[in-house]
Amino acid sequence: MERRTSQRRNVAASMQPKTPRVTPKRRRSSAPDHSTGENAGDEIAGDFFYWMHDDLVVTILSKLSSTASRPSDFINSILSCKRFRFLCLTKPVLSRASVRVLAVKAKNWSDSAHRFLWCCCMAGNMHACYMLGMIRFYCLGNRLTGISLLAKAAMGFHARALYSLAIIQFNGSGGSKRQKDLQAGVAFCARAASLGHLNALREFGHCLQDGYGVRQNILQGRRCLIHVYYNETTGEVRTDKEPHPVNVFMADWFAQRPGILDKEDLRLCSNKGCGRPETRMYEFRRCSLCGTVNYCSRACQAIDWKILHKMSCTAGLLRLRFPAVFPAVAAAGGGGGDGGAVEEAAV
């Protein structure tokens, strides 16, 4: 009986279809043998990142994004492979991206650049929030989303974002002249000045001297201007250094598209390192003597006075030729003569 039963089982097994046997693929050893041949070193070097854990690769990419000198250094790592593309777009890497990595040129602006800056904003990068907020507010005309991104950067203690919000409040940018909020502008300036922003400290000093949006305090305002002048003369901080990439972007953007401003008779700030445009007619203040230049803030007025307008404005020429006869010509008019005269008198 047992012999017949075994024969029946064999016949039944032979009638069933045979399925191929699947053998699991073995993973290569994490410590390959160095004595396998002459090309062993090349194989190890080529698979170096393959054997590294994702956390370690993310740490390396985060260091790269924070220290890269230009955007191409970081973009090339994204285009290397699928793994790098995934890891480069993670939150720890994008949140540490430096200003140089985010420095997009106006001629290279595209939807991809816009999405990249937006991903950095969602990752919590305050530099990206400030830059995209300025681009949306001034260049793309999206006032609401631009101001919200600037506010997000300001809540992250970004000094430039706080100062930009102060200028928007002083000028009533994006709205009518009645929407100016001088007290809010002074508060933003004071906060940015406490974080070490010299232009905000200069603006705050002028507000204290003139009682503009705050109770007048001439002595304290003069102290603020002396502090700014001291930092500039000693070379510790220079306000006329290379402008921020977003200011260069705005200047190039409107230089390549002159019809945007000419259509509504708007003007750019005469300070070459600013790039801010008017959002309505006669928003910026003009030079009271020559009337050929206009500025978005007193900081831009003072910087341009020292660099350029001092030699071209009529008030500056009179002061240089007849210093004894016209000692306060620049203080009475000149675009930037106000800031320049105050600082020189303070010393």
Side-chain angles (χ1 to χ4, degrees):
M1 291 293 294
E2 293 180 359
R3 186 174 181 181
R4 291 181 180 178
T5 304
S6 62
Q7 290 179 355
R8 291 175 182 175
R9 289 178 181 176
N10 293 336
V11 172
S14 61
M15 294 178 63
Q16 292 180 357
K18 295 183 178 180
T19 57
R21 184 179 180 182
V22 180
T23 57
K25 185 177 180 180
R26 295 184 59 185
R27 184 181 178 88
R28 289 183 293 179
S29 175
S30 59
D33 189 6
H34 294 273
S35 60
T36 55
E38 297 180 355
N39 298 328
D42 298 338
E43 183 179 356
I44 296 171
D47 295 339
F48 180 72
F49 280 100
Y50 177 77
W51 300 109
M52 293 177 62
H53 198 272
D54 286 348
D55 293 341
L56 184 57
V57 178
V58 167
T59 303
I60 297 173
L61 294 176
S62 301
K63 184 67 175 179
L64 174 64
S65 65
S66 61
T67 59
S69 59
R70 47 192 173 182
S72 59
D73 296 339
F74 183 71
I75 298 300
N76 289 335
S77 62
I78 296 179
L79 301 177
S80 299
C81 59
K82 292 183 179 180
R83 184 191 182 195
F84 274 26
R85 177 182 177 83
F86 173 76
L87 296 178
C88 284
L89 299 179
T90 55
K91 184 176 180 179
V93 179
L94 296 180
S95 61
R96 296 189 58 187
S98 63
V99 176
R100 294 182 177 179
V101 172
L102 303 173
V104 182
K105 295 183 179 180
K107 63 180 181 180
N108 298 331
W109 181 254
S110 61
D111 293 338
S112 299
H114 197 167
R115 285 195 300 268
F116 176 72
L117 287 177
W118 178 252
C119 290
C120 293
C121 293
M122 293 297 99
N125 192 312
M126 296 296 104
H127 298 300
C129 291
Y130 166 67
M131 296 178 68
L132 187 58
M134 292 287 287
I135 292 173
R136 285 189 173 185
F137 186 85
Y138 287 107
C139 299
L140 303 181
N142 298 331
R143 313 292 187 196
L144 184 60
T145 57
I147 203 74
S148 63
L149 288 174
L150 288 174
K152 181 179 179 180
M155 288 188 292
F157 304 102
H158 195 278
R160 290 182 178 272
L162 287 165
Y163 179 61
S164 297
L165 289 175
I167 294 177
I168 291 174
Q169 296 296 330
F170 281 140
N171 297 329
S173 301
S176 63
K177 188 177 180 179
R178 297 181 179 179
Q179 293 181 346
K180 293 182 179 180
D181 193 344
L182 304 184
Q183 294 181 353
V186 172
F188 284 129
C189 267
R191 184 57 177 167
S194 66
L195 296 175
H197 198 280
L198 281 188
N199 287 338
L201 183 60
R202 191 198 307 273
E203 195 81 21
F204 184 63
H206 284 298
C207 291
L208 288 174
Q209 275 198 331
D210 302 338
Y212 190 71
V214 68
R215 180 178 296 179
Q216 188 176 18
N217 191 337
I218 299 177
L219 180 60
Q220 189 64 29
R222 190 170 292 271
R223 287 177 179 175
C224 294
L225 296 176
I226 291 175
H227 180 72
V228 174
Y229 185 76
Y230 172 78
N231 282 275
E232 291 180 346
T233 53
T234 56
E236 294 183 4
V237 179
R238 293 181 57 87
T239 55
D240 56 346
K241 61 182 180 179
E242 184 179 357
H244 194 273
V246 74
N247 297 107
V248 178
F249 180 93
M250 292 191 297
D252 295 342
W253 178 274
F254 291 105
Q256 297 171 8
R257 301 166 177 82
I260 299 178
L261 299 179
D262 295 342
K263 184 178 180 180
E264 301 180 5
D265 196 16
L266 303 178
R267 301 160 299 176
L268 285 175
C269 180
S270 297
N271 182 19
K272 301 301 181 183
C274 179
R276 286 183 176 87
E278 290 181 326
T279 59
R280 66 176 186 276
M281 292 181 61
Y282 308 114
E283 178 182 341
F284 295 162
R285 63 188 69 184
R286 289 186 178 183
C287 173
S288 60
L289 189 61
C290 65
T292 58
V293 293
N294 48 90
Y295 303 99
C296 65
S297 63
R298 294 197 179 188
C300 289
Q301 186 182 19
I303 292 172
D304 189 62
W305 171 257
K306 293 186 298 182
I307 297 176
L308 183 62
H309 194 57
K310 185 176 183 179
M311 304 305 298
S312 60
C313 184
T314 308
L317 293 176
L318 290 175
R319 187 182 180 191
L320 291 175
R321 293 181 181 180
F322 311 103
V325 182
F326 302 99
V329 172
D338 187 11
V342 169
E343 290 177 359
E344 292 176 7
V347 178

